[in-house]
Amino acid sequence: MEDEITFSKVFGEGGEIRKYFAPGRVNLIGEHTDYNGGHVFPCALSIGTYAAVRKRTDRKLRFYSVNFPDAGILETSLDDKAFRRELDWTNYPRGVVWAAEEAGYKADCGFDVLFRGTIPNSSGLSSSASIEVLTGYFLADLYGFDYDGIVNAKLGQRAENAFIGVNCGIMDQFAIAMGQKGHAIFLNTGTLAYEYAPLDLKGVRIVIMNTNKKRGLGDSKYNERRAECEKALQYVQQTFPVQALCELTKEQWAVAKETIPSVTLRKRAEHAVTENLRTLAAYEALKKGDLTAFGRLMNESHISLKEDYEVTGRELDTLVEAAWQQAGVLGARMTGAGFGGCAVSLVQEDAVSSFVTNVGQIYREQIGYDATFYEAETGSGPVRIG
Ligand code: GLA
């Protein structure tokens, strides 16, 4: 109701206003594997992005965010198909309108849209993929496009890659478009085969720890890491006919790594290959209810992201290393792209409160400002809510 009132104040009364929601995501394990043909294991969250939308009779697109009220209404049109820096965050939904049109899903009139996000920005919990998938979802509903969640996820990824300029994989958009409450998604990013895994955590909570160090994927070293993996793959392909690093078995990698002359490239590929194997092992551990093994794999994942992939940094390492020292912690690691953003930990229910106090204190002492903690609640994919 609140959003509808604000919508009418901002854009004027009248017409049919439709409302939608799409979640954010947290990745439990399988980091930087989704552009290397590997496995990931994310779940959708109950926090996310809301939209209130009304069709227009002309070709204008008007955007407003409750999170950035000072920016006011940002206006453009269906005919403007270029990324525009001054249009700021609206480039995410604009990119999806563009990607949909390129794929043959042409909107025949514009819209006014109000967004409200409950995911902290630049936290690594995918506020950008959330707004992309939400846009893909409401476009389909408003204009009668008949694509499914997987196509919607691909439109979001295309927008991110070709409109925004971040060479991301499919994980975030897929986790958001296909999320199911109470489940993580075990996804093979090479084939897009997936399974839902019930998150039966038996008295263990998923605690998300935010470094409050902002990161933007565009200006991070994300694209550089991806390019390094592609170079490493070229060396590997001289020995093994694989399409992606994560197709390698442990034994093949032991042979292939000797053919990569650069230490840096070898380390990047080492992470990709071993992280994929850890993700497979973590899924098996969860199926057996072995959360101790799952947590140990999370810890190993963080070490690999720190030492071989070099995407953690002081803030994430401080949080994760402080988490490892606490009683009742099964595992902790950075989540998402890295370079700031969030970490994720598995903590026994009765230890959560002392965990938050102790880790929070260590972080403040060492970094000089506060971290924020959230108990993750899982959520489902996009939905129309009014
Ligand atoms: C970001 C990207 C994803 C994935 C992760 C790292 O979230 O959007 O595609 O590569 O980083 O696992």
Side-chain angles (χ1 to χ4, degrees):
M1 203 57 215
E2 191 70 27
D3 286 344
E4 255 169 285
I5 296 170
T6 316
F7 183 98
S8 299
K9 274 194 199 146
V10 171
F11 293 117
E13 308 265 339
E16 184 200 6
I17 300 169
R18 295 189 185 183
K19 294 193 292 180
Y20 306 87
F21 170 79
R25 69 98 187 88
V26 64
N27 188 23
L28 299 176
I29 193 161
E31 218 66 80
H32 289 281
T33 49
D34 72 340
Y35 48 86
N36 286 309
H39 291 78
V40 294
F41 203 29
C43 52
L45 295 170
S46 60
I47 52 173
T49 317
Y50 295 82
V53 195
R54 184 175 63 200
K55 268 187 175 179
R56 299 180 56 89
T57 49
D58 58 16
R59 293 181 63 78
K60 280 185 188 164
L61 299 174
R62 296 199 297 167
F63 299 92
Y64 179 86
S65 167
V66 174
N67 301 73
F68 306 107
D70 294 345
I73 295 177
L74 295 163
E75 185 177 314
T76 165
S77 121
L78 281 173
D79 303 311
D80 182 357
K81 300 179 206 302
F83 175 92
R84 300 211 180 275
R85 187 160 298 281
E86 68 280 10
L87 289 176
D88 204 16
W89 60 269
T90 72
N91 284 303
Y92 293 106
R94 290 180 68 236
V96 174
V97 172
W98 167 83
E101 185 167 316
E102 249 214 336
Y105 303 105
K106 284 194 190 359
D108 53 7
C109 62
F111 56 80
D112 291 337
V113 60
L114 169 145
F115 287 108
R116 179 168 56 86
T118 56
I119 306 168
N121 291 318
S122 306
S123 61
L125 303 178
S126 285
S127 56
S128 54
S130 178
I131 198 171
E132 287 160 358
V133 170
L134 180 63
T135 303
Y137 189 81
F138 76 62
L139 287 179
D141 189 56
L142 279 185
Y143 301 101
F145 302 152
D146 64 350
Y147 46 76
D148 60 13
I150 297 182
V151 171
N152 186 14
K154 287 182 181 167
L155 292 177
Q157 185 195 16
R158 173 99 180 109
E160 191 86 44
N161 293 168
F163 196 84
I164 303 291
V166 178
N167 257 331
C168 69
I170 191 75
M171 169 171 73
D172 302 346
Q173 290 82 4
F174 197 100
I176 289 167
M178 301 297 287
Q180 264 188 19
K181 192 171 170 57
H183 294 78
I185 306 179
F186 180 66
L187 169 68
N188 178 336
T189 62
T191 61
L192 292 192
Y194 64 99
E195 282 168 46
Y196 289 105
L199 275 178
D200 186 10
L201 296 181
K202 292 174 277 195
V204 170
R205 295 294 167 92
I206 301 171
V207 180
I208 296 173
M209 312 182 272
N210 190 345
T211 59
N212 288 321
K213 182 190 178 201
K214 302 278 184 217
R215 48 153 282 276
L217 271 184
D219 45 54
S220 73
K221 292 191 168 288
Y222 187 90
N223 287 349
E224 182 186 299
R225 288 293 178 281
R226 183 166 183 161
E228 287 167 343
C229 286
E230 278 158 15
K231 269 193 216 139
L233 177 64
Q234 286 170 7
Y235 287 111
V236 169
Q237 284 172 331
Q238 291 168 10
T239 318
F240 294 102
V242 290
Q243 300 293 316
L245 287 175
C246 293
E247 285 172 29
L248 293 170
T249 62
K250 199 174 162 193
E251 292 70 30
Q252 288 172 326
W253 171 238
V255 176
K257 74 199 285 185
E258 303 305 330
T259 68
I260 303 178
S262 145
V263 177
T264 303
L265 295 186
R266 209 179 309 146
K267 280 164 66 176
R268 305 301 187 241
E270 170 88 21
H271 168 74
V273 174
T274 59
E275 180 73 355
N276 184 49
L277 298 172
R278 279 187 290 275
T279 308
L280 293 166
Y283 181 48
E284 289 308 314
L286 187 73
K287 281 202 279 195
K288 285 193 220 131
D290 187 351
L291 293 179
T292 308
F294 195 97
R296 196 168 49 237
L297 290 158
M298 288 173 77
N299 298 348
E300 288 169 12
S301 164
H302 186 85
I303 293 168
S304 176
L305 287 156
K306 177 183 178 188
E307 290 175 3
D308 287 334
Y309 220 61
E310 298 180 277
V311 292
T312 56
R314 198 168 145 248
E315 295 81 3
L316 280 167
D317 289 336
T318 302
L319 267 186
V320 168
E321 283 158 24
W324 289 343
Q325 293 163 22
Q326 305 306 314
V329 173
L330 286 88
R333 57 181 289 278
M334 60 150 266
T335 185
F339 313 104
C342 284
V344 57
S345 47
L346 293 184
V347 186
Q348 300 280 3
E349 210 161 43
D350 53 7
V352 169
S353 127
S354 59
F355 171 86
V356 169
T357 310
N358 296 345
V359 176
Q361 191 180 342
I362 296 172
Y363 189 77
R364 191 175 326 109
E365 276 165 17
Q366 297 196 10
I367 303 295
Y369 54 84
D370 283 329
T372 316
F373 297 83
Y374 329 91
E375 267 193 45
E377 263 184 58
T378 60
S380 293
V383 59
R384 182 167 166 193
I385 52 173

